[in-house]
Amino acid sequence: MSTALVWFQNNLRVKDNIALSKACKENQAVIAVYFFDPRQFDFTEYGFKKTGKFRAKFLIETIKELKENLAAINIPLFVYREKPEKVLPCFFEKYAISNIYLQKEWTSEEQGIIKKIKKEVVKELEFKAFYDQFLFHPTDIPYTNFTEIPKVFTEFRKKCEAQVTVRECLTKPKALTKENFELENPTKIPDLNELGFEEFELDPRTAFPFQGGEDQAKERIQHYFWETKNLAKYKQTRNGLIGEAYSSKLSAWLANGSISPKQIYWAVKKFEKDITKNQDTYWLIFELIWRDYFKFISLKHANKIFKIDGILEKELRWNKDKQTLQRWVCGETKEAFINANMKELAATGFMSNRGRQNVASFWAKELKQDWRIGAAYFESLLIDYDVHSNWGNWMYNSGVGNDPRDRKFNIKRQAERYDPDKKFQELWLKK
């Protein structure tokens, strides 16, 4: 009897999960595993924890829900607070694993871990990895290889919109036999303390008052699309700053794969068919294409997205001043609008898209500080951190990425336009 291992990474859902679906179809028994890799909670070279308390809390909630949803189809989830390469070689032997199914990752850290595991494994095992975090599947895009991905987003978007059909979503796998679930599982999901954090309460001012998990993502779609119909005015409100209603807020569930971009896309299409189709509904799809684009840029340029000269290999003068960093992080700069956004981020792990563009532009274009420090701070704090979108956007806003105009935000004008009555600034800067 063949036994498959599904190694969950950033695909933390049961529905529309290629690795899980393939494993269930091709094997008699299926086991799942997830790692709270200690390296993900360590300090980076920039002095910040790679994963901070907000994303850690959201991740714990997500894994709890994943474990329950897998149990419903009789698949046990083993959870380890250890490096995968230390656990998996013995795990393969103990449970007579025949095949390993996982989401395909291409950044150097993930590739390095896979190589270490393969080196340690004695028996022949097949690693079956699948691209499963895209709206447009990489084999469907109108480019023969990733080197052809254009420098400008608009060219990529128009060509893909004209030539690519978004694939249908996969259904939840049928439940396996109960015997599959009856393995002894001594593992448990860690709490915040075990990951090195203190328990905390959500700030009541947060614009992201949500919990992690696949079911929570579905509830958000139900509320934002069908109950409030806020999707019908998404483009008009997406530059908002206060409250949970101004945007879809789906980014955190997308980032850890609690929901797939395809699921969102087809939900939008159903809304357009049943309720209304307009520029606002299209704009959410537009944002999903942006997300795809940064992933394809990462596939094209690999580790260049982490280099100071960016994908343009543009040599600029960057500074690294600790006092400047401290003032930016603490929201003590000369710009009240920047300060309000930075205080929101520090208190909640969330910031609006409008805020992110402004604070990044201010850090890189006005303060002329090493943009990678800003990107690393975002990586640590943001609940919805996604490696490709984060580093892609930071390059874009710092003049070393995909912005053909190399724009710089006028912070005072931005504040006047998007916070004219200063309600947002007052919310976060009042004593």
Side-chain angles (χ1 to χ4, degrees), residues 302-319:
N303 281 350
K304 281 186 182 178
I305 68 171
F306 305 115
K307 304 297 184 184
I308 194 165
D309 296 336
I311 61 173
L312 297 183
E313 299 182 339
K314 194 174 179 180
E315 292 185 20
L316 300 172
R317 288 189 62 184
W318 299 102
N319 301 304

Side-chain angles (χ1 to χ4, degrees), residues 389-400:
S389 292
N390 184 66
W391 291 83
N393 270 306
W394 268 95
M395 284 193 301
Y396 185 96
N397 280 297
S398 304
V400 294

Side-chain angles (χ1 to χ4, degrees), residues 97-147:
I97 303 297
S98 309
N99 303 294
I100 302 96
Y101 296 77
L102 65 159
Q103 179 171 275
K104 186 175 286 189
E105 300 285 351
W106 54 90
T107 46
S108 57
E109 288 180 7
E110 288 76 11
Q111 287 294 313
I113 292 169
I114 297 289
K115 286 179 182 177
K116 286 179 183 177
I117 293 168
K118 287 182 175 179
K119 194 175 180 181
E120 293 293 323
V121 176
V122 177
K123 63 178 184 176
E124 286 281 325
L125 286 172
E126 188 174 358
F127 282 73
K128 299 185 177 185
F130 306 91
Y131 286 120
D132 199 19
Q133 50 184 289
F134 293 86
L135 180 65
F136 301 133
H137 194 277
T139 60
D140 295 342
I141 61 172
Y143 303 98
T144 54
N145 59 65
F146 298 133
T147 60

Side-chain angles (χ1 to χ4, degrees), residues 207-208 210 220 224 243-253 350:
F208 192 87
F210 307 108
R220 178 57 181 170
Y224 188 77
E244 54 86 18
Y246 66 77
S247 66
S248 73
K249 301 295 194 300
L250 291 169
S251 55
W253 293 292
F350 194 80

